[in-house]
Amino acid sequence: MLSSLRNIGIIAHIDAGKTTTTERILYYTGLTHKVGETHDGESVMDFLDVEKERGITVSSAAIKCIWKDCSINIIDTPGHVDFTAEVERSLRILDGAVVIFCGKGGVEPQSETVWRQADKYNVPRIAYINKMDAVGADFFKVVDQIKNRLGAQPLILTLPVFNDDNFTGIIDLISMKYESFTGSMGDQIVQTDIPADYLAEAEKWRLVLLEKLAEDSEKLMELYYDEAPIPESLLLAEIRKDTINGSVVPVICGSSYRNIGVQMLLDGIVQYLPSPLDIEPTKALDLNTDEDIIIRGDAPEFFSALVFKIVSDRHVGKLAFARVYSGSIAAGNYVLNSSKNKKERIGRLVKMHANHREEIQKVTAGDIVAFIGLKEVGTGDTICDEDHPVLLESIDFPEPVIQIAIEPRTQSDQNKISEALAKISAEDPTFRITYNSETGQTLLSGMGELHLEVISERLAKEFKIDINIGQPQVAYKETITKAAEQNTRYVKQTGGKGQFAHVVLKIEPGEGFEFVNKIVGGAVPREYIPAVEAGVKQALEEGVLQGHPVVNVRATLLDGSYHEVDSSEMAFRIAAMQCTRDCLKKAGPKMLEPIMRVEITSPEEYTGGIISNISNRRGRMDSMDMQGSTQVIRSYVPLAEMFGYSTSLRSASQGRAGFSMEFSHYEECNHI
């Protein structure tokens, strides 16, 4: 039943407790009988060697569990900004999300990033304020931050209860009962009356809850003004409706590590987050008619699914994780990869439980499964019924901002490295590999130092390749500032058939890359136009200033000519490359550098020195806030100036300040 299915993600800033919460969910739903802790390297969801060693999540993991007759597909995502692509692709295919906040840290930089990603895909969400047992945890401060910094409408459903500064239980504002969690793992829930000293506060927040819900419900408003009893079922229905349409975000508190409140979170997932039937129907492009169509999961339609993740498995080869949007398919059937126009056969179908596989024979709409046997498939590809080719919206990923050079130490490693890098590249859309022909080095580009560190570790441990690693470098880009035209003839006579191509190109500043064909009257035959576009793209891979990729260019093919015998695709490709390079020199080329959004938390007495240091690093201030006795400084700083900043910040604050950064945008760079 689709109505009793929930596809949800667990998203948050690093160290907010995502994996710990997921481990408790697995325990309470009966999937595990022992709770694995991240700090012991024994959690079910963090199963990669690098995750066990570091105690962090670097790859999203999927698992399925049952709670109160509801099937829940859970994807536990990384919290570190370097692995933001894992969150992006998970949210693209999920129906709902649990956003976890640290009761002490509140809305942290990556919390804002994942929240914006959820906004982008209109994903309904529940806020779970975790770590209420931590010293300095402040429930209402975090609620205010959710409202003010994220622009959300938090709806408080629970209140924390403390006894001598110890977090002991939760007040449920729906049932107006106090719940404590006893037993060795908090699996016995005891409901009692609300403690006397918390009753007034509970009644106050119950009133706020009712007033907020009554704004959109006439029935609730009548009962509220008549002071009549309000059925619990009506309250739950209204909260669910408002959560799914995005007007409120239910807020639940707890401490996953102390086994308090996770069952209430599970109830919230089932009660408030949408099933595949509750979300907007999916749009797709019908490739037979070139028209947009609506795909509904509950209609007996053709099969369609979106591949959101690729994993290379040493035992079964390539695993393609996909969300099924419509229809059904069985193992052994053929499907069309409409993104690449390739027909492929499904070898096997498996449900994933972290790193364990359960073989199944058939999948239907709403399922999140892994396909085995699809060789050509990649992240963001649509697979569908051969007779009904459709194209679902793909997934956009951020560009890498940092790169390192690597060299294999031995000839045998040289032979293994390209295969290993190809596997990692297929799995990770934010990882790029380029080869520098001048130095003979392989350049790896990624989202940050930790991202590239993890890839280097995988090469050494998983693929057993010894490598030398160079210092991290900034991934600069180039662009143009004005329009330019160029007329290029490529003629080569070497006896026999020659080479001839003639193109007139105009390039000008644009958004991304755009190629426009303005040829009329067949001056350049239609079959050579793709070769011209390929030549322009190839030329833009290396700019004229320092050989960095050129971005934000609109290229227009204005005119040209050809020779009946001597013209070829290769000739037009070479002519377009030469023409583009000459054009770039005249178009006011400029360097672009990645700018990072940096958030620093520090005791107030070190603020002056920190701001001065940021200024010396070509940074510019964005805002400053006081949170208790801590100053939060937000600024924008070029990535080139941030290498070694952690050491500098430690020495400037006697080790008491911390910082986090994420990529913001590219902007013009004049200091090189």
Side-chain angles (χ1 to χ4, degrees), residues 410-480:
T410 65
Q411 186 57 46
S412 65
D413 287 332
Q414 177 77 55
N415 300 333
K416 290 192 290 183
I417 196 164
S418 55
E419 187 184 340
L421 289 174
K423 281 185 179 177
I424 295 173
S425 178
E427 293 179 11
D428 187 346
T430 58
F431 171 59
R432 303 269 197 285
I433 311 154
T434 48
Y435 183 73
N436 188 322
S437 53
E438 291 177 17
T439 62
Q441 290 175 315
T442 300
L443 300 175
L444 310 184
S445 305
M447 297 304 295
E449 290 180 81
L450 179 62
H451 186 198
L452 294 176
E453 234 176 81
V454 166
I455 286 169
S456 304
E457 279 183 30
R458 284 190 65 189
L459 287 173
K461 292 179 179 172
E462 195 177 315
F463 297 99
K464 306 288 188 288
I465 298 170
D466 286 333
I467 52 173
N468 294 319
I469 302 170
Q471 285 295 310
Q473 302 290 323
V474 176
Y476 291 101
K477 293 191 187 304
E478 298 180 21
T479 193
I480 55 172

Coordinates of all heavy atoms in Angstrom, one line a residue, residues 410-480:
T410 N 54.5 3.0 -8.6 CA 55.1 2.0 -9.4 C 54.3 1.8 -10.7 O 53.2 2.3 -10.8 CB 55.1 0.6 -8.6 OG1 53.7 0.2 -8.5 CG2 55.7 0.7 -7.3
Q411 N 54.9 1.1 -11.6 CA 54.3 0.9 -12.9 C 53.0 0.0 -12.8 O 52.0 0.3 -13.4 CB 55.3 0.1 -13.9 CG 54.7 0.0 -15.3 CD 54.4 1.4 -15.9 OE1 55.2 2.3 -15.9 NE2 53.2 1.5 -16.5
S412 N 53.0 -0.9 -11.9 CA 51.8 -1.8 -11.7 C 50.7 -0.9 -11.1 O 49.5 -1.1 -11.5 CB 52.1 -2.9 -10.7 OG 52.4 -2.5 -9.4
D413 N 51.0 0.1 -10.2 CA 50.0 1.0 -9.7 C 49.5 1.9 -10.8 O 48.3 2.2 -10.8 CB 50.6 1.8 -8.6 CG 50.8 1.0 -7.3 OD1 50.0 0.1 -7.1 OD2 51.7 1.4 -6.5
Q414 N 50.3 2.2 -11.8 CA 49.9 3.1 -12.9 C 48.8 2.4 -13.7 O 47.9 3.0 -14.1 CB 51.2 3.3 -13.8 CG 50.8 4.2 -15.1 CD 50.7 5.6 -14.8 OE1 51.6 6.3 -14.2 NE2 49.5 6.2 -15.1
N415 N 49.0 1.1 -13.9 CA 48.0 0.3 -14.6 C 46.6 0.2 -13.9 O 45.6 0.2 -14.5 CB 48.5 -1.1 -15.0 CG 49.8 -1.0 -15.8 OD1 50.0 0.0 -16.5 ND2 50.6 -2.0 -15.7
K416 N 46.7 0.2 -12.5 CA 45.5 0.0 -11.8 C 44.7 1.3 -11.5 O 43.5 1.3 -11.3 CB 45.8 -0.6 -10.4 CG 46.3 -2.1 -10.5 CD 46.3 -2.7 -9.1 CE 47.4 -2.2 -8.2 NZ 47.5 -2.9 -6.9
I417 N 45.4 2.4 -11.5 CA 44.9 3.7 -11.0 C 43.7 4.2 -11.9 O 42.7 4.7 -11.4 CB 45.9 4.7 -10.8 CG1 45.4 5.9 -9.9 CG2 46.4 5.3 -12.1 CD1 46.4 6.8 -9.3
S418 N 43.8 4.1 -13.2 CA 42.7 4.6 -14.1 C 41.4 3.9 -13.8 O 40.4 4.5 -13.8 CB 43.2 4.6 -15.5 OG 43.5 3.3 -15.9
E419 N 41.5 2.6 -13.7 CA 40.3 1.8 -13.4 C 39.7 2.1 -12.1 O 38.5 2.3 -11.9 CB 40.6 0.3 -13.4 CG 39.4 -0.6 -13.3 CD 39.8 -2.1 -13.3 OE1 40.9 -2.5 -13.6 OE2 38.9 -2.9 -12.8
A420 N 40.5 2.3 -11.0 CA 40.0 2.7 -9.7 C 39.4 4.1 -9.7 O 38.3 4.3 -9.2 CB 41.2 2.7 -8.7
L421 N 40.0 5.0 -10.4 CA 39.5 6.4 -10.5 C 38.2 6.4 -11.3 O 37.3 7.2 -10.9 CB 40.5 7.3 -11.1 CG 41.7 7.7 -10.2 CD1 42.7 8.5 -11.0 CD2 41.3 8.4 -8.9
A422 N 38.1 5.6 -12.3 CA 36.9 5.5 -13.1 C 35.7 5.0 -12.2 O 34.6 5.5 -12.3 CB 37.1 4.6 -14.3
K423 N 36.0 4.0 -11.4 CA 34.9 3.5 -10.5 C 34.5 4.6 -9.5 O 33.3 4.8 -9.2 CB 35.5 2.3 -9.7 CG 35.4 1.0 -10.5 CD 35.9 -0.2 -9.7 CE 35.8 -1.5 -10.5 NZ 36.3 -2.6 -9.7
I424 N 35.5 5.3 -8.9 CA 35.1 6.4 -7.9 C 34.4 7.5 -8.6 O 33.4 8.0 -8.0 CB 36.4 6.9 -7.2 CG1 37.0 5.8 -6.4 CG2 36.1 8.1 -6.3 CD1 38.4 6.1 -5.8
S425 N 34.8 7.8 -9.8 CA 34.1 8.9 -10.5 C 32.7 8.6 -10.9 O 31.8 9.4 -10.9 CB 34.9 9.2 -11.8 OG 34.3 10.2 -12.6
A426 N 32.4 7.3 -11.2 CA 31.1 6.9 -11.5 C 30.2 7.0 -10.3 O 29.0 7.3 -10.4 CB 31.1 5.4 -12.0
E427 N 30.7 6.8 -9.1 CA 30.0 6.9 -7.9 C 29.7 8.3 -7.4 O 28.7 8.6 -6.8 CB 30.7 6.1 -6.7 CG 30.8 4.6 -6.9 CD 31.6 4.0 -5.8 OE1 31.9 4.7 -4.7 OE2 32.0 2.8 -5.9
D428 N 30.7 9.2 -7.7 CA 30.7 10.5 -7.1 C 30.7 11.6 -8.2 O 31.7 11.9 -8.8 CB 32.0 10.7 -6.2 CG 32.0 12.0 -5.4 OD1 31.1 12.9 -5.7 OD2 32.8 12.1 -4.5
P429 N 29.5 12.3 -8.4 CA 29.4 13.3 -9.4 C 30.2 14.6 -9.2 O 30.3 15.4 -10.1 CB 27.9 13.6 -9.5 CG 27.2 12.6 -8.6 CD 28.2 12.1 -7.7
T430 N 30.6 14.8 -7.9 CA 31.4 16.0 -7.6 C 32.9 15.8 -7.7 O 33.7 16.6 -7.4 CB 31.0 16.6 -6.2 OG1 31.3 15.6 -5.3 CG2 29.6 17.0 -6.2
F431 N 33.3 14.6 -8.1 CA 34.7 14.2 -8.3 C 35.1 14.3 -9.7 O 34.4 13.7 -10.6 CB 34.9 12.9 -7.6 CG 36.3 12.3 -7.9 CD1 37.4 13.0 -7.4 CD2 36.5 11.1 -8.5 CE1 38.7 12.4 -7.6 CE2 37.7 10.6 -8.7 CZ 38.8 11.2 -8.3
R432 N 36.1 15.0 -10.1 CA 36.6 15.1 -11.5 C 38.0 14.6 -11.6 O 38.8 14.9 -10.7 CB 36.5 16.5 -12.0 CG 35.2 17.2 -11.9 CD 34.3 17.0 -13.1 NE 33.2 17.9 -13.1 CZ 32.1 17.8 -12.4 NH1 32.0 16.9 -11.5 NH2 31.1 18.7 -12.5
I433 N 38.3 14.0 -12.7 CA 39.7 13.6 -13.0 C 40.2 14.3 -14.3 O 39.5 14.2 -15.3 CB 39.8 12.1 -13.2 CG1 39.0 11.3 -12.1 CG2 41.2 11.6 -13.4 CD1 38.5 10.0 -12.6
T434 N 41.3 14.9 -14.2 CA 41.9 15.5 -15.5 C 43.4 15.1 -15.5 O 44.0 14.8 -14.5 CB 41.8 17.0 -15.5 OG1 42.2 17.6 -14.2 CG2 40.4 17.5 -15.8
Y435 N 43.9 15.1 -16.7 CA 45.3 14.7 -16.9 C 46.1 15.9 -17.4 O 45.7 16.5 -18.4 CB 45.4 13.5 -17.9 CG 46.8 13.0 -18.1 CD1 47.5 12.3 -17.0 CD2 47.5 13.3 -19.2 CE1 48.8 11.8 -17.2 CE2 48.8 12.8 -19.4 CZ 49.4 12.1 -18.4 OH 50.7 11.6 -18.6
N436 N 47.2 16.3 -16.7 CA 48.0 17.4 -17.2 C 49.1 16.9 -18.0 O 50.1 16.2 -17.6 CB 48.6 18.1 -15.9 CG 49.3 19.4 -16.3 OD1 50.0 19.5 -17.3 ND2 49.2 20.4 -15.5
S437 N 49.0 17.1 -19.3 CA 50.0 16.6 -20.3 C 51.4 17.2 -20.1 O 52.4 16.5 -20.4 CB 49.5 16.8 -21.7 OG 49.2 18.1 -21.9
E438 N 51.5 18.4 -19.6 CA 52.8 19.0 -19.4 C 53.6 18.4 -18.2 O 54.8 18.1 -18.3 CB 52.6 20.5 -19.1 CG 52.1 21.3 -20.3 CD 51.9 22.7 -20.0 OE1 52.4 23.2 -18.9 OE2 51.2 23.4 -20.8
T439 N 52.9 18.1 -17.1 CA 53.6 17.6 -15.9 C 53.5 16.0 -15.9 O 54.2 15.4 -15.1 CB 53.0 18.2 -14.6 OG1 51.7 17.8 -14.5 CG2 53.2 19.7 -14.6
G440 N 52.6 15.5 -16.6 CA 52.3 14.0 -16.6 C 51.6 13.6 -15.3 O 51.6 12.4 -15.0
Q441 N 51.0 14.6 -14.6 CA 50.3 14.2 -13.3 C 48.8 14.1 -13.6 O 48.2 14.7 -14.5 CB 50.5 15.4 -12.3 CG 51.9 15.4 -11.8 CD 52.1 16.7 -10.9 OE1 51.6 17.7 -11.2 NE2 52.7 16.4 -9.7
T442 N 48.2 13.3 -12.7 CA 46.7 13.1 -12.7 C 46.2 14.1 -11.7 O 46.7 14.1 -10.5 CB 46.3 11.7 -12.4 OG1 46.9 10.8 -13.4 CG2 44.8 11.6 -12.4
L443 N 45.2 15.0 -12.1 CA 44.7 15.9 -11.2 C 43.3 15.5 -10.7 O 42.4 15.2 -11.5 CB 44.6 17.3 -11.8 CG 45.9 18.0 -12.3 CD1 45.6 19.2 -13.1 CD2 46.8 18.2 -11.2
L444 N 43.1 15.4 -9.4 CA 41.8 15.1 -8.8 C 41.1 16.3 -8.3 O 41.7 17.0 -7.5 CB 42.0 14.0 -7.7 CG 42.8 12.8 -8.0 CD1 42.7 11.8 -6.8 CD2 42.3 12.1 -9.2
S445 N 39.9 16.6 -8.7 CA 39.2 17.8 -8.2 C 38.0 17.3 -7.3 O 37.3 16.4 -7.7 CB 38.7 18.6 -9.3 OG 39.7 19.0 -10.2
G446 N 37.8 18.1 -6.2 CA 36.7 17.7 -5.3 C 36.1 18.9 -4.6 O 36.5 20.0 -4.9
M447 N 35.3 18.6 -3.6 CA 34.6 19.7 -2.9 C 35.3 20.2 -1.7 O 34.9 21.2 -1.1 CB 33.2 19.2 -2.4 CG 32.3 18.7 -3.5 SD 32.0 20.0 -4.7 CE 31.1 21.2 -3.7
G448 N 36.4 19.6 -1.3 CA 37.2 20.1 -0.1 C 38.3 19.2 0.2 O 38.5 18.1 -0.4
E449 N 39.1 19.6 1.2 CA 40.3 18.8 1.5 C 39.9 17.4 2.1 O 40.5 16.4 1.8 CB 41.1 19.6 2.6 CG 41.8 20.8 2.0 CD 42.6 21.6 3.0 OE1 43.8 21.2 3.3 OE2 42.1 22.6 3.5
L450 N 38.8 17.4 2.9 CA 38.4 16.1 3.5 C 37.9 15.2 2.3 O 38.2 14.0 2.3 CB 37.3 16.3 4.5 CG 36.8 15.0 5.1 CD1 37.8 14.3 5.9 CD2 35.6 15.3 6.1
H451 N 37.2 15.7 1.4 CA 36.7 14.9 0.3 C 37.8 14.2 -0.5 O 37.8 13.0 -0.7 CB 35.9 15.9 -0.7 CG 35.2 15.2 -1.8 ND1 34.8 15.9 -3.0 CD2 34.9 13.9 -2.0 CE1 34.3 15.0 -3.8 NE2 34.3 13.8 -3.3
L452 N 38.9 15.0 -0.8 CA 40.0 14.5 -1.5 C 40.9 13.5 -0.6 O 41.4 12.5 -1.1 CB 40.9 15.6 -2.1 CG 40.2 16.4 -3.2 CD1 41.1 17.6 -3.6 CD2 39.8 15.6 -4.4
E453 N 40.9 13.8 0.7 CA 41.6 12.9 1.6 C 40.9 11.6 1.6 O 41.6 10.5 1.6 CB 41.5 13.6 3.0 CG 42.8 13.8 3.7 CD 42.6 14.5 5.1 OE1 42.2 13.8 6.0 OE2 42.8 15.7 5.1
V454 N 39.6 11.5 1.7 CA 38.9 10.3 1.7 C 39.1 9.5 0.4 O 39.3 8.3 0.5 CB 37.4 10.5 1.9 CG1 36.5 9.3 1.7 CG2 37.1 11.0 3.4
I455 N 39.1 10.2 -0.7 CA 39.4 9.5 -2.0 C 40.8 8.9 -2.0 O 41.0 7.8 -2.5 CB 39.1 10.5 -3.2 CG1 37.6 10.7 -3.3 CG2 39.7 9.9 -4.5 CD1 37.2 11.8 -4.3
S456 N 41.7 9.7 -1.5 CA 43.1 9.2 -1.5 C 43.2 7.9 -0.6 O 43.9 7.0 -0.9 CB 44.1 10.3 -0.9 OG 44.0 11.4 -1.7
E457 N 42.5 8.0 0.6 CA 42.5 6.8 1.5 C 41.9 5.6 0.8 O 42.3 4.5 1.0 CB 41.7 7.1 2.7 CG 42.6 7.9 3.7 CD 41.8 8.2 5.0 OE1 40.9 7.3 5.4 OE2 42.1 9.2 5.7
R458 N 40.8 5.8 0.0 CA 40.1 4.7 -0.7 C 41.1 4.1 -1.7 O 41.1 2.9 -1.8 CB 38.9 5.2 -1.4 CG 37.7 5.4 -0.4 CD 36.4 5.7 -1.2 NE 36.0 4.5 -2.0 CZ 35.0 4.5 -2.9 NH1 34.4 5.6 -3.1 NH2 34.7 3.4 -3.5
L459 N 41.8 4.9 -2.4 CA 42.8 4.4 -3.4 C 43.8 3.5 -2.7 O 44.2 2.4 -3.2 CB 43.5 5.5 -4.1 CG 42.7 6.3 -5.1 CD1 43.5 7.5 -5.6 CD2 42.3 5.4 -6.3
A460 N 44.3 3.9 -1.5 CA 45.3 3.2 -0.8 C 44.8 1.9 -0.2 O 45.4 0.8 -0.3 CB 46.0 4.1 0.3
K461 N 43.6 2.0 0.5 CA 43.1 0.9 1.3 C 42.2 -0.1 0.5 O 42.3 -1.3 0.6 CB 42.4 1.4 2.5 CG 43.3 2.0 3.5 CD 42.7 2.6 4.7 CE 43.7 3.2 5.7 NZ 43.0 3.9 6.8
E462 N 41.3 0.5 -0.3 CA 40.3 -0.3 -1.0 C 40.8 -0.9 -2.3 O 40.6 -2.0 -2.6 CB 39.0 0.6 -1.3 CG 37.8 -0.2 -1.7 CD 36.6 0.8 -1.9 OE1 36.4 1.7 -1.1 OE2 36.0 0.6 -3.0
F463 N 41.6 0.0 -3.0 CA 42.2 -0.5 -4.3 C 43.6 -0.9 -4.2 O 44.2 -1.3 -5.2 CB 42.0 0.6 -5.3 CG 40.5 0.9 -5.6 CD1 39.9 2.0 -5.0 CD2 39.8 0.1 -6.4 CE1 38.6 2.3 -5.2 CE2 38.4 0.4 -6.7 CZ 37.8 1.5 -6.1
K464 N 44.3 -0.7 -3.0 CA 45.7 -1.2 -2.8 C 46.6 -0.5 -3.8 O 47.5 -1.2 -4.4 CB 45.8 -2.7 -2.9 CG 44.8 -3.5 -2.0 CD 45.2 -3.4 -0.5 CE 44.4 -4.3 0.4 NZ 43.0 -3.9 0.6
I465 N 46.5 0.8 -3.9 CA 47.4 1.6 -4.8 C 48.2 2.6 -4.0 O 47.7 3.4 -3.3 CB 46.5 2.3 -5.9 CG1 45.7 1.3 -6.7 CG2 47.4 3.2 -6.8 CD1 44.7 2.0 -7.6
D466 N 49.5 2.5 -4.2 CA 50.4 3.5 -3.5 C 50.5 4.7 -4.4 O 50.9 4.6 -5.6 CB 51.8 2.8 -3.3 CG 51.8 1.8 -2.2 OD1 50.9 1.9 -1.3 OD2 52.6 0.9 -2.2
I467 N 50.3 5.9 -3.8 CA 50.4 7.1 -4.6 C 51.1 8.2 -3.8 O 51.2 8.2 -2.6 CB 48.9 7.7 -4.9 CG1 48.1 7.8 -3.7 CG2 48.3 6.8 -6.0 CD1 46.7 8.5 -3.9
N468 N 51.7 9.1 -4.5 CA 52.3 10.3 -4.0 C 51.3 11.4 -4.2 O 50.7 11.5 -5.3 CB 53.6 10.7 -4.6 CG 54.7 9.7 -4.4 OD1 54.8 9.2 -3.2 ND2 55.5 9.3 -5.4
I469 N 51.0 12.2 -3.2 CA 50.0 13.3 -3.3 C 50.6 14.6 -3.2 O 51.4 14.9 -2.3 CB 48.9 13.1 -2.1 CG1 48.3 11.7 -2.2 CG2 47.8 14.2 -2.2 CD1 47.5 11.3 -1.0
G470 N 50.2 15.5 -4.1 CA 50.7 16.9 -4.0 C 49.9 17.8 -3.1 O 48.8 17.3 -2.6
Q471 N 50.3 19.0 -2.9 CA 49.6 19.9 -2.1 C 48.2 20.3 -2.7 O 48.1 20.4 -3.9 CB 50.4 21.2 -1.9 CG 51.6 21.1 -0.9 CD 51.1 20.8 0.5 OE1 50.2 21.4 1.0 NE2 51.7 19.7 1.1
P472 N 47.2 20.5 -1.9 CA 45.9 21.0 -2.5 C 46.0 22.3 -3.3 O 46.8 23.2 -2.8 CB 45.0 21.1 -1.3 CG 45.6 20.3 -0.2 CD 47.1 20.4 -0.5
Q473 N 45.4 22.4 -4.4 CA 45.4 23.6 -5.2 C 43.9 24.1 -5.4 O 43.0 23.3 -5.4 CB 46.0 23.3 -6.6 CG 47.4 22.7 -6.6 CD 48.4 23.8 -6.1 OE1 48.3 24.9 -6.4 NE2 49.4 23.3 -5.3
V474 N 43.8 25.4 -5.6 CA 42.5 25.9 -5.9 C 42.1 25.7 -7.3 O 42.9 25.8 -8.2 CB 42.5 27.5 -5.6 CG1 41.2 28.1 -5.9 CG2 42.9 27.7 -4.1
A475 N 40.8 25.3 -7.5 CA 40.3 25.1 -8.8 C 39.8 26.4 -9.4 O 38.6 26.8 -9.3 CB 39.2 24.1 -8.8
Y476 N 40.7 27.2 -10.0 CA 40.3 28.4 -10.6 C 39.5 28.2 -11.9 O 39.6 27.1 -12.5 CB 41.6 29.3 -10.9 CG 42.3 29.8 -9.7 CD1 43.4 29.2 -9.3 CD2 41.8 30.9 -9.1 CE1 44.1 29.7 -8.2 CE2 42.5 31.4 -7.9 CZ 43.6 30.8 -7.5 OH 44.3 31.2 -6.4
K477 N 38.8 29.2 -12.4 CA 38.1 29.1 -13.7 C 38.4 30.4 -14.4 O 38.9 31.4 -13.8 CB 36.6 28.9 -13.5 CG 36.3 27.6 -12.9 CD 34.8 27.3 -13.0 CE 34.3 26.1 -12.3 NZ 35.0 24.9 -12.7
E478 N 38.1 30.5 -15.7 CA 38.3 31.7 -16.5 C 36.9 32.0 -17.1 O 36.1 31.2 -17.3 CB 39.4 31.6 -17.5 CG 40.7 31.3 -17.0 CD 41.8 31.1 -18.0 OE1 41.6 31.6 -19.2 OE2 42.9 30.5 -17.7
T479 N 36.7 33.3 -17.4 CA 35.5 33.7 -18.1 C 35.9 34.9 -19.0 O 37.0 35.3 -19.1 CB 34.4 34.1 -17.1 OG1 33.2 34.2 -17.8 CG2 34.7 35.4 -16.4
I480 N 34.9 35.4 -19.7 CA 35.1 36.6 -20.6 C 34.2 37.7 -20.2 O 33.2 37.5 -19.5 CB 34.8 36.2 -22.1 CG1 33.4 35.6 -22.2 CG2 35.8 35.2 -22.6 CD1 33.0 35.4 -23.7

